[in-house]
Amino acid sequence: MDKFYKHNKTKHGAASVFLAIIMSAVIFIECTFVIFVWNLDYALSVNTALKSQVDTILCDYNRLLFDVYGIYAFTLDGVDDYCFRKALEINGLESKAEVYITDSSKFTTEDLRKAINSYYWYRGSGIAFKKLVEGYADLIREIDEKGYLNKIGQFMQSPAAEYVSKLIKGSDSASDWIEKAGDLLNAGDLIKEAADIDSLMDDYKDSVKDLEFDIDIDIAEWNGLLSTLTRLENAFDVVSDSPDALAEKCFISHYCAYNFDCCISPKGDASINGTDFKSIHGSKRADSEYMITGLGDYPASLEVSVLIVHVLIVANILKDYANEEIRNTISVIAEVISAIILAVSEGTVDIDPRLIAAGITLYVAMVQSINDYLCIARGERAVIFEYDNTRIVTYSYRDFLYLFCLCTKEDKLIERCYEVIERDFGDLYKGISLEAVYKSQTYSVTKSYQLYE
């Protein structure tokens, strides 16, 4: 009995040990798989949480920046790991990984170019990009065909230019000049003409006193006007460019001219979507003028104002030429001034009255341009060309900015536009890379806005 019991005990004990060994291996393998699956699940959760965090960052773009300028971009100031931690907590997991920003894609000037093109993709059909330039191009061609620019140039290179400038800007009246001519001129026969000349002098003085900068009829001023005309001719070439190049040039120019703050606000002025610029940067800035000139607020505003006056001068020359009454009056005055100059110079300066008429037309156009500029400064539109009392072409201050933007190189416009945007909104980014490390394993996600890809 005892022998049988001993044998039975040994047999079952061996089986138990064997089974225990087998089960321990199975349990170990199962635990390994459980841990592996748990780590895999945690890894997937971390990866999902990282994607959610990146999406949250990209979704947190500056709404004002997008609404006004059509730009998707964010700053790094508000970036945190809140969404990452919450995403893990929702899945019942504890956040055991630290999130790091390993890289961030800066918003660049090339990205700005893409944003502008996208901005006008659905707005462009409602904007007459070429009409403004074509209208002014026709204006220049017409005045050039009349030969006025050539005549004015000849006048400016003649000694008569200095005499006319002194006569109009000086303190002596036309009667005083006639008296200087002595017996060569009969003052009694020139009463009306003298009154007309005095009227021109008064118009000049009244206009200049209301303006912050002075103008003069001299060669330097004429050269400045010619320089402006040469600069504007570059805008005319844009109209004949290839469709794609023309579209992009017009988009960028229109964007810089109509969607940024400027020193002179037309009536009802705001960004293209109606946003008040004060809500963007507070006090008034000459941003569009800076994009055109690359200068600070006041110098940029002054240079643009001079350019505007030059455009208005050319427009007024053509308007006056089209007005028969003004043209005839100037012709008579030119005859008188030619006689005065001949007498005062003792016969040394004998200038064709037609050249003097061209010079006086320039002077009259200058005076008229000051009044037109002051009209623009009040937020109104200036008449560029009219015929038979019908306004054919009118410009607002923004229209002039658009014209000058078209004369500025695209790269310069983009660079300066980029600077202004970053000044108002800070350093901007279009994409980001995040990493999380758990148990020596690194998880990373990189993403950016599809607009810039």
Side-chain angles (χ1 to χ4, degrees):
M1 194 68 180
D2 292 338
K3 186 176 180 181
F4 176 78
Y5 174 78
K6 183 177 180 182
H7 175 74
N8 187 52
K9 180 180 178 182
T10 303
K11 181 180 180 181
H12 287 282
S16 297
V17 171
F18 176 75
L19 289 173
I21 293 172
I22 294 299
M23 290 304 296
S24 64
V26 170
I27 291 171
F28 176 77
I29 293 172
E30 290 294 330
C31 289
T32 301
F33 274 110
V34 169
I35 293 173
F36 174 77
V37 171
W38 187 89
N39 283 333
L40 180 61
D41 180 66
Y42 189 85
L44 291 173
S45 297
V46 169
N47 201 47
T48 301
L50 275 177
K51 290 180 179 179
S52 298
Q53 181 66 62
V54 169
D55 288 341
T56 300
I57 293 171
L58 295 180
C59 288
D60 194 26
Y61 58 87
N62 190 301
R63 295 303 191 270
L64 182 61
L65 180 64
F66 174 74
D67 291 340
V68 179
Y69 301 111
I71 295 173
Y72 283 108
F74 61 90
T75 61
L76 296 179
D77 298 339
V79 173
D80 54 31
D81 63 349
Y82 178 79
C83 184
F84 173 79
R85 289 185 287 102
K86 285 297 180 183
L88 292 178
E89 291 176 10
I90 290 173
N91 292 319
L93 301 172
E94 182 181 352
S95 177
K96 298 179 180 179
E98 293 287 338
V99 178
Y100 301 95
I101 299 176
T102 57
D103 191 22
S104 53
S105 301
K106 195 101 166 41
F107 180 75
T108 66
T109 54
E110 188 58 34
D111 297 324
L112 176 58
R113 188 187 297 270
K114 293 178 181 178
I116 293 173
N117 287 327
S118 173
Y119 187 77
Y120 282 98
W121 184 78
Y122 57 90
R123 289 181 173 92
S125 59
I127 300 173
F129 291 109
K130 294 170 61 176
K131 183 178 179 181
L132 197 73
V133 182
E134 289 173 337
Y136 191 74
D138 291 340
L139 186 75
I140 294 296
R141 293 189 189 100
E142 174 128 5
I143 196 172
D144 205 25
E145 288 174 2
K146 303 297 183 185
Y148 254 83
L149 296 180
N150 185 46
K151 289 179 182 178
I152 293 173
Q154 293 179 46
F155 167 78
M156 284 299 176
Q157 294 174 3
S158 72
E162 182 179 356
Y163 282 97
V164 173
S165 180
K166 288 180 179 179
L167 191 152
I168 292 174
K169 296 190 64 178
S171 58
D172 293 341
S173 66
S175 299
D176 294 333
W177 279 86
I178 293 172
E179 288 182 7
K180 291 178 184 179
D183 298 335
L184 296 176
L185 295 177
N186 189 341
D189 296 336
L190 301 175
I191 295 176
K192 183 180 182 304
E193 288 76 10
D196 289 337
I197 295 174
D198 289 337
S199 178
L200 291 178
M201 297 169 63
D202 292 338
D203 288 343
Y204 172 85
K205 293 171 183 175
D206 290 340
S207 297
V208 170
K209 73 179 181 181
D210 295 328
L211 201 62
E212 293 183 2
F213 56 91
D214 194 7
I215 62 172
D216 194 2
I217 304 177
D218 57 19
I219 295 176
E221 179 63 29
W222 173 242
N223 289 338
L225 179 59
L226 291 179
S227 176
T228 299
L229 292 178
T230 301
R231 182 175 179 180
L232 290 172
E233 286 176 356
N234 295 330
F236 308 157
D237 295 335
V238 171
V239 180
S240 59
D241 282 347
S242 64
D244 292 340
L246 169 62
E248 183 168 291
K249 176 67 173 178
C250 290
F251 289 167
I252 294 172
S253 298
H254 193 278
Y255 188 82
C256 294
Y258 292 95
N259 218 24
F260 289 86
D261 205 357
C262 61
C263 69
I264 297 177
S265 300
K267 291 182 178 178
D269 188 49
S271 70
I272 292 176
N273 78 331
T275 301
D276 190 340
F277 296 110
K278 289 183 179 179
S279 65
I280 299 175
H281 53 230
S283 60
K284 180 171 285 297
R285 301 296 298 267
D287 292 335
S288 290
E289 292 88 347
Y290 166 69
M291 294 174 201
I292 294 168
T293 65
L295 303 175
D297 283 356
Y298 180 76
S301 301
L302 182 59
E303 181 169 325
V304 168
S305 295
V306 171
L307 292 174
I308 291 175
V309 171
H310 286 169
V311 173
L312 292 171
I313 287 172
V314 175
N316 281 310
I317 289 174
L318 187 58
K319 283 192 294 183
D320 293 340
Y321 181 85
N323 189 310
E324 185 177 358
E325 182 180 353
I326 294 178
R327 189 169 68 248
N328 291 337
T329 300
I330 289 176
S331 179
V332 173
I333 292 176
E335 293 279 357
V336 175
I337 292 180
S338 177
I340 292 175
I341 293 174
L342 181 63
V344 171
S345 66
E346 297 180 351
T348 59
V349 180
D350 186 9
I351 304 298
D352 187 339
R354 289 175 296 181
L355 295 183
I356 295 179
I360 295 174
T361 301
L362 172 63
Y363 158 73
V364 172
M366 284 180 169
V367 172
Q368 292 170 334
S369 69
I370 295 176
N371 296 327
D372 290 338
Y373 175 81
L374 294 175
C375 178
I376 291 172
R378 294 192 296 268
E380 301 170 3
R381 300 182 71 87
V383 179
I384 298 299
F385 184 66
E386 64 180 1
Y387 185 76
D388 197 19
N389 296 323
T390 300
R391 294 185 172 189
I392 298 176
V393 181
T394 63
Y395 277 15
S396 70
Y397 185 74
R398 290 283 185 189
D399 295 333
F400 281 106
L401 293 178
Y402 178 45
L403 183 64
F404 302 145
C405 280
L406 285 168
C407 303
T408 307
K409 292 182 178 179
E410 287 179 50
D411 292 342
K412 291 295 182 183
L413 287 177
I414 289 288
E415 289 173 9
R416 294 163 185 169
C417 179
Y418 181 86
E419 291 176 17
V420 170
I421 290 173
E422 285 218 323
R423 181 204 66 199
D424 289 338
F425 295 93
D427 292 334
L428 300 174
Y429 296 85
K430 63 178 180 180
I432 195 168
S433 296
L434 295 182
E435 279 189 1
V437 180
Y438 176 69
K439 291 187 176 180
S440 301
Q441 183 67 38
T442 301
Y443 309 92
S444 63
V445 174
T446 299
K447 200 170 184 179
S448 63
Y449 296 111
Q450 189 174 2
L451 172 64
Y452 310 117
E453 295 177 354

